[in-house]
Amino acid sequence: MSIQVLLTPWLLGVVGLGLCVAAVYGSGVLASRWKLAKQRLGQEKEKDDDWSILDFSDTKPMPPDFDWAKTEVKPYRPWSNGPHHVTMGLKKTSLDDWIEIDREYLERYQYKRQLFAQHPADTVQNLPGSKEACFEALEYLVDFLPRRYPAMFRKTDVGVRNLVTGEDWDLRRESSTWKSYHPLQVMGLLTTEDWFVLQTDDDGQTTRLRAGANCFPAGWRLRERMGHSLWQIHAGKVPEYEQKLATSMDRFFLRLRADKPVMRFNYAIDLSGELFHINSHHNLTADCLDKPLTIDQLHLRVERQFLQRLPRTRGLIFSIRTYVTPILEVTKDKEIARALRTSVDSFSPQVAAYKNKHIWNDILITHLDEVLA
């Protein structure tokens, strides 16, 4: 519904008020009131306009003494000391928070290089019609990185220089770069995040995954989900998706504006610290274990997901930063351990099965009891 339609009752009220006043005070007051009404309408419409570009000119640079190699990984613990609820869990954010870089940067870069070379079909995919959105996302990232991390990246006449890896990326459309790389793949090598482009069908009703560069999947294969709608990706897999999430997710993805990026987190208890999980690790059975599980094998896997509308192509650029931490490290903080205990204890049967609670619960709870004793 447009802003004009929404404001129609308000305008009618203003006009009516103006006519009444004019009858008493004369046409001069009516003209004044009408001018004020038009000004207010113009201000509201201008306020409602979505961004036509992503402007990074006001991006706050990291401090001059920022050293990625000495920057600790942020300890995200996305649960509260209360019941676990199935929600979208969206949080408003800003473009300054688009990318996080820390001491894992170079190690993850090297692993991505290896995965792109050894598993090309499982790490990079794209469908016809997604190219312009992918290039738009890359253009914005290359504008952002030298502003946010000037000690690590430098803008060049043809692209960007990575001062950490020593790479000079020629990102002109006519460059030979595109014979070997996809734009989202370059984005993945510049950052620690994995990258995806989603686009809306011509009917304006369905959002689909159209391109991706994904080195750290959480139990799924990129090539098997290309072209899938949100429903196809989640229904029958994510607990309570159909009942609690499907309608609100569809509506949100269709309506997201370029000036309102959002972030969300999720977490799982993994049976290893491996990042590259292309085989399903949800709804597993105990038969998947080669030997008895130990507390040393359990890891907390957290995904920091960032969703941003691309102004020109109107695609969505979706990034995932994955954090993997040994449970023994996580539970050094007793308050965190206590909240984790409360959260996993409150899993519904569907969530518990999805997160493999029957496999790791006894070992984790025994450990948490020892920590909290």
Side-chain angles (χ1 to χ4, degrees):
M1 184 177 291
S2 68
I3 187 69
Q4 290 91 340
V5 174
L6 288 171
L7 290 178
T8 297
W10 176 80
L11 283 174
L12 290 174
V14 171
V15 172
L17 176 61
L19 291 173
C20 292
V21 173
V24 180
Y25 296 106
S27 59
V29 176
L30 173 60
S32 177
R33 291 287 182 127
W34 180 242
K35 182 178 180 181
L36 176 61
K38 289 196 295 182
Q39 288 176 342
R40 291 180 63 181
L41 176 59
Q43 291 169 354
E44 289 296 325
K45 187 177 187 306
E46 181 179 353
K47 181 179 178 181
D48 191 66
D49 285 344
D50 198 359
W51 287 345
S52 59
I53 62 169
L54 300 185
D55 184 2
F56 296 108
S57 59
D58 292 330
T59 298
K60 183 179 179 181
M62 298 300 288
D65 61 350
F66 173 78
D67 184 346
W68 66 270
K70 296 179 180 178
T71 300
E72 292 298 320
V73 179
K74 289 187 177 179
Y76 290 116
R77 307 293 182 254
W79 56 77
S80 60
N81 193 4
H84 176 86
H85 297 289
V86 177
T87 67
M88 289 177 65
L90 298 172
K91 300 178 180 180
K92 295 180 180 179
T93 187
S94 71
L95 287 174
D96 278 2
D97 295 325
W98 197 14
I99 306 298
E100 284 190 353
I101 295 180
D102 50 49
R103 60 181 176 80
E104 291 186 337
Y105 178 75
L106 191 57
E107 179 183 346
R108 296 284 182 94
Y109 162 84
Q110 292 167 342
Y111 193 25
K112 283 187 175 187
R113 278 280 182 194
Q114 175 186 333
L115 292 170
F116 282 139
Q118 295 178 354
H119 304 274
D122 282 318
T123 54
V124 183
Q125 291 286 332
N126 66 96
L127 295 178
S130 63
K131 182 173 73 171
E132 286 305 313
C134 294
F135 271 108
E136 182 183 11
L138 175 60
E139 290 164 9
Y140 281 127
L141 181 67
V142 168
D143 187 18
F144 171 80
L145 288 174
R147 298 175 188 271
R148 183 65 167 160
Y149 298 98
M152 299 180 67
F153 303 96
R154 186 169 300 158
K155 197 84 174 283
T156 68
D157 291 339
V158 298
V160 67
R161 178 174 302 136
N162 188 327
L163 302 177
V164 176
T165 65
E167 292 171 314
D168 274 299
W169 289 99
D170 185 343
L171 304 179
R172 294 172 296 178
R173 293 294 185 97
E174 66 272 19
S175 168
S176 61
T177 299
W178 313 121
K179 295 179 181 179
S180 304
Y181 298 94
H182 185 271
L184 297 187
Q185 190 176 9
V186 175
M187 293 176 71
L189 291 171
L190 289 171
T191 68
T192 310
E193 282 77 5
D194 289 320
W195 295 92
F196 311 87
V197 160
L198 299 100
Q199 293 174 300
T200 304
D201 285 355
D202 292 339
D203 64 6
Q205 299 299 314
T206 306
T207 302
R208 296 183 186 276
L209 176 62
R210 305 284 297 175
N214 188 23
C215 287
F216 307 137
W220 57 281
R221 291 178 183 266
L222 179 63
R223 55 180 162 174
E224 294 176 355
R225 294 195 179 179
M226 293 306 301
H228 283 197
S229 65
L230 296 178
W231 176 273
Q232 290 171 310
I233 291 172
H234 298 96
K237 305 176 185 72
V238 175
E240 303 176 56
Y241 170 79
E242 297 91 333
Q243 301 91 339
K244 294 186 176 181
L245 299 177
T247 301
S248 57
M249 275 186 65
D250 282 340
R251 185 185 303 116
F252 180 82
F253 274 63
L254 291 172
R255 296 180 179 179
L256 182 66
R257 295 161 50 114
D259 62 344
K260 298 185 183 299
V262 295
M263 185 191 304
R264 71 177 298 273
F265 293 85
N266 63 33
Y267 82 91
I269 306 297
D270 259 7
L271 308 185
S272 78
E274 176 55 54
L275 287 161
F276 183 59
H277 271 303
I278 57 173
N279 297 314
S280 177
H281 64 167
H282 299 298
N283 299 295
L284 300 179
T285 65
D287 297 338
C288 71
L289 299 176
D290 296 329
K291 55 185 178 180
L293 197 63
T294 65
I295 190 63
D296 294 339
Q297 293 173 261
L298 296 188
H299 287 71
L300 171 68
R301 185 183 183 112
V302 174
E303 289 186 348
R304 176 187 184 267
Q305 303 176 352
F306 198 106
L307 189 63
Q308 170 70 53
R309 174 75 67 190
L310 297 169
R312 187 174 74 244
T313 61
R314 305 308 295 174
L316 291 168
I317 184 67
F318 180 55
S319 63
I320 300 178
R321 167 68 194 272
T322 302
Y323 305 80
V324 177
T325 311
I327 283 293
L328 290 175
E329 183 69 27
V330 174
T331 57
K332 287 180 179 179
D333 185 318
K334 280 195 173 185
E335 291 307 309
I336 292 293
R338 182 173 290 106
L340 176 60
R341 173 68 185 267
T342 303
S343 181
V344 299
D345 280 349
S346 69
F347 285 176
S348 69
Q350 297 91 338
V351 171
Y354 179 74
K355 291 180 176 287
N356 306 315
K357 182 179 175 181
H358 58 287
I359 294 179
W360 48 256
N361 186 64
D362 290 346
I363 295 168
L364 177 63
I365 296 303
T366 297
H367 169 66
L368 291 176
D369 286 345
E370 293 171 354
V371 169
L372 299 173

